[in-house]
């Protein structure tokens, strides 16, 4: 999936609510970490080598993780889904969208836990586990629909948090001991986190399994199976995420539409950036095109209105700007502002004949900026490599069919860059900026927060 650089525009769940009653701090229910050697008879350890003890610990961790996962999935349904449905805090359709196929995952993991417990000896040790995993892991293909739904589920949940009844309910849950200070989305994201952890768990078991052990071959096969499943789900989830955002792009004019957007199957990265006038923009880097938008609400949905013409990655010029190099606003107040305001900028530009664009964009921090630079550079390299391969194929085809003509010119439409966006002539005070999406403005305490959603 794509990398996302966001600052959540909704109020933080931990901040006080005017409609929430004062409650004394609750004792957080903490989940104790259990070790195999502490759970079963310690005397057994004297009969096992250090490597075998580590192997048993790894197998026990796999089983214990399944038990914890099942408990959390049931808790999400019992403490969040069912009460919100019963109290009519959300409709059944909204809850089905947010929770997806979570219910179907519970029996799946209960099955693995049962199999692992059945092969556990009375002394707590497990001899063979590889054959169980080889037989069970293909069931994880059912994660496809759950993970593909997560982008839409998160967007709807964030939107519903604007309802004070939803926010109040979630706040009360967060303050309750059962939540372990985790919000609803943390619980809903646990299955995805578990999915990407399986390869690590299996490698740990394999690392402490002797080469002549019957489990050796089965564990290697199991690792290959889970890696293939995760890779396939990752691709499908990326395509689902890309389609979700493409459907929420709003074009001010037909000329802004671009086949590079329509043909995209993945979003490399996206998130909120500011231009040199302090205007908040949401930028999407698709596989072959950079799209600069403004977040707005349309038909009660968060959408993204194109701010300028899409910029083809192939022709995009990227510049890493040094701190202090960008001029802000041009006003006296801007000239004597905090130095933090002129840090972490980079510039993207594009010129085609008389039409051009240039945007100085500011990330939340230096790490965020570097991530953007890396993603854009990688996208440019990928497009360049694909272009070279296409040229070679085209030349080979030309040699074989000299009478055939080749058309490689791509038509594009770009609007003239706004004079107000010209960095050298910009004289607007940043305090006077009025952004279309004022309801999406975040508080100063949230300005530097970032959230990185990593690949499944």
């Amino acid at each position: 999936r794509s990398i996302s650089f966001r600052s959540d525009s909704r109020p933080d769940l931990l901040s006080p609510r005017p409609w929430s009653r004062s409650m004394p701090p609750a004792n957080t229910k903490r989940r104790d970490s259990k070790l195999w050697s502490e759970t079963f008879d310690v005397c057994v350890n004297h009969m096992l080598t250090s490597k075998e003890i580590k192997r048993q610990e790894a197998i026990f961790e796999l089983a214990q993780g399944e038990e914890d996962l099942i408990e959390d999935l049931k808790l999400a349904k019992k403490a969040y889904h069912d009460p919100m449905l019963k109290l009519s805090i959300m409709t059944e359709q909204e809850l089905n969208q947010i929770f997806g196929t979570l219910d179907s995952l519970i029996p799946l993991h209960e099955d693995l836990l049962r199999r692992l417990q059945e092969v556990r000896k009375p002394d707590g040790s497990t001899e063979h586990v590889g054959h169980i995993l080889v037989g069970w892991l293909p069931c994880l293909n059912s994660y496809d629909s759950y993970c593909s739904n997560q982008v839409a589920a998160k967007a709807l949940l964030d939107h519903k948090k604007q309802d004070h009844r939803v926010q109040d309910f979630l706040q009360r849950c967060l303050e309750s001991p059962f939540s372990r200070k985790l919000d609803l989305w943390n619980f809903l994201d646990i299955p995805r986190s578990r999915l990407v952890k399986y390869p690590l768990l299996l490698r740990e078991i394999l690392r402490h399994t002797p080469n002549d052990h019957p489990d050796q071959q089965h564990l290697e096969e199991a690792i290959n199976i889970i890696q293939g499943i995760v890779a396939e789900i990752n691709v499908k989830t990326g395509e689902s995420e890309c389609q979700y955002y493409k459907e929420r792009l709003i074009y001010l004019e037909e000329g802004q539409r671009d086949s590079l957007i329509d043909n995209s199957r993945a979003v490399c990265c996206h998130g909120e950036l500011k231009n040199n006038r302090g205007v908040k923009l949401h930028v999407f880097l698709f596989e072959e095109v950079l799209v600069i938008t403004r977040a707005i609400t349309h038909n009660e949905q968060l959408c993204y209105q194109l701010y300028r013409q899409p910029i083809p990655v192939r022709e995009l010029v990227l510049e890493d700007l040094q701190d202090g190099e960008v001029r802000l606003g041009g006003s006296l107040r801007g000239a004597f502002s905090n130095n933090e305001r002129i840090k972490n900028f980079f510039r993207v530009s594009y010129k085609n004949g008389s039409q051009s664009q240039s945007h100085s964009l500011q990330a939340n921090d230096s790490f965020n900026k570097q991530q953007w630079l890396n993603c854009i550079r990688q996208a440019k390299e990928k497009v360049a490599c694909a272009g070279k391969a296409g040229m070679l194929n085209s030349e080979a085809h030309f040699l074989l069919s000299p009478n055939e003509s080749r058309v490689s010119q791509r038509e594009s439409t770009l609007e003239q860059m706004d004079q107000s966006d010209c960095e050298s002539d910009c004289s607007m005070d940043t305090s006077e900026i009025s952004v279309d999406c004022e309801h999406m403005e975040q508080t100063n305490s949230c300005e530097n927060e970032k959230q990185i959603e990593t690949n499944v």
Side-chain angles (χ1 to χ4, degrees), residues 212-230:
D212 58 349
H213 195 286
D215 256 3
Q216 182 80 16
Q217 184 176 351
H218 283 138
L219 286 172
E220 291 176 351
E221 183 180 353
I223 291 173
N224 290 332
I225 292 173
I226 186 59
Q227 286 178 333
I229 291 174
V230 170

Side-chain angles (χ1 to χ4, degrees), residues 247-260:
E247 290 174 354
R248 279 151 185 79
L249 293 178
I250 295 180
Y251 300 91
L252 293 176
E253 57 184 40
E254 199 63 26
Q256 289 181 325
R257 296 186 180 275
D258 195 311
S259 61
L260 292 178

Side-chain angles (χ1 to χ4, degrees), residues 117-395:
Q117 290 174 339
E118 286 177 351
V119 296
R120 183 181 291 166
K121 297 179 181 179
D123 62 7
S125 63
T126 300
E127 184 66 26
H128 304 291
V129 72
H131 67 289
I132 294 177
L133 295 168
V134 170
W136 178 82
L137 283 173
C139 299
L140 292 178
N141 282 306
S142 61
Y143 264 69
D144 185 351
S145 58
Y146 185 81
C147 292
S148 296
N149 177 64
Q150 279 198 303
V151 176
K154 180 67 164 63
L156 178 57
L157 178 60
D158 285 344
H159 175 69
K160 295 300 295 183
K161 284 179 183 179
Q162 298 177 70
D163 183 338
H164 77 275
R165 291 189 67 208
V166 175
Q167 183 72 345
D168 188 45
F169 176 84
L170 296 178
Q171 177 66 23
R172 291 172 188 272
C173 289
L174 190 65
E175 294 169 349
S176 300
F178 72 81
S179 72
R180 307 196 306 277
K181 294 187 177 180
L182 301 176
D183 63 21
L184 173 57
W185 184 251
N186 289 133
F187 284 101
L188 295 178
D189 196 46
I190 284 175
R192 182 201 61 80
S193 300
R194 182 65 177 174
L195 182 66
V196 299
K197 193 174 181 181
Y198 281 120
L200 302 177
L201 291 169
L202 301 192
R203 287 194 191 97
E204 184 65 13
I205 298 175
L206 179 61
R207 191 161 69 93
H208 300 296
T209 299
N211 293 332
D212 58 349
H213 195 286
D215 256 3
Q216 182 80 16
Q217 184 176 351
H218 283 138
L219 286 172
E220 291 176 351
E221 183 180 353
I223 291 173
N224 290 332
I225 292 173
I226 186 59
Q227 286 178 333
I229 291 174
V230 170
E232 181 67 20
I233 291 178
N234 182 45
V235 170
K236 292 183 178 179
T237 302
E239 292 176 352
S240 175
E241 178 186 32
C242 182
Q243 186 62 32
Y244 174 85
Y245 286 120
K246 286 197 296 185
E247 290 174 354
R248 279 151 185 79
L249 293 178
I250 295 180
Y251 300 91
L252 293 176
E253 57 184 40
E254 199 63 26
Q256 289 181 325
R257 296 186 180 275
D258 195 311
S259 61
L260 292 178
I261 299 176
D262 297 334
N263 297 333
S264 294
R265 298 182 61 188
V267 183
C268 301
C269 64
H270 70 96
E272 186 182 272
L273 297 169
K274 293 180 183 178
N275 66 9
N276 63 307
R277 294 186 292 128
V279 178
K280 293 179 181 178
L281 304 169
H282 199 101
V283 181
F284 294 91
L285 176 61
F286 293 95
E287 294 162 301
E288 296 187 46
V289 62
L290 185 78
V291 182
I292 301 176
T293 72
R294 284 178 174 176
I296 65 170
T297 298
H298 179 68
N299 293 334
E300 296 188 353
Q301 282 190 335
L302 178 62
C303 295
Y304 305 92
Q305 184 182 83
L306 265 70
Y307 180 70
R308 289 291 181 268
Q309 293 294 123
I311 301 177
V313 170
R314 187 185 304 277
E315 286 86 18
L316 181 149
V317 177
L318 176 66
E319 298 176 72
D320 183 359
L321 302 179
Q322 299 300 316
D323 291 344
E325 188 174 340
V326 175
R327 182 183 178 190
L328 294 179
S331 67
L332 286 177
R333 191 187 329 198
F336 294 99
S337 61
N338 191 327
N339 287 334
E340 290 299 319
R341 295 180 58 200
I342 55 177
K343 289 184 176 181
N344 307 315
F345 272 92
F346 63 94
R347 181 181 291 123
V348 293
S349 56
Y350 169 62
K351 185 174 179 61
N352 183 4
S354 61
Q355 298 187 358
S356 62
Q357 291 187 63
S358 179
H359 305 276
S360 293
L361 303 172
Q362 184 181 33
N364 289 332
D365 52 42
S366 58
F367 176 77
N368 231 345
K369 171 185 172 181
Q370 194 58 48
Q371 290 291 311
W372 272 103
L373 293 174
N374 291 341
C375 285
I376 295 175
R377 286 166 181 159
Q378 289 170 7
K380 285 184 66 64
E381 289 174 3
K382 188 173 181 180
V383 169
C385 291
K388 290 178 181 178
M391 289 176 63
L392 290 174
N393 291 334
S394 180
E395 289 173 2

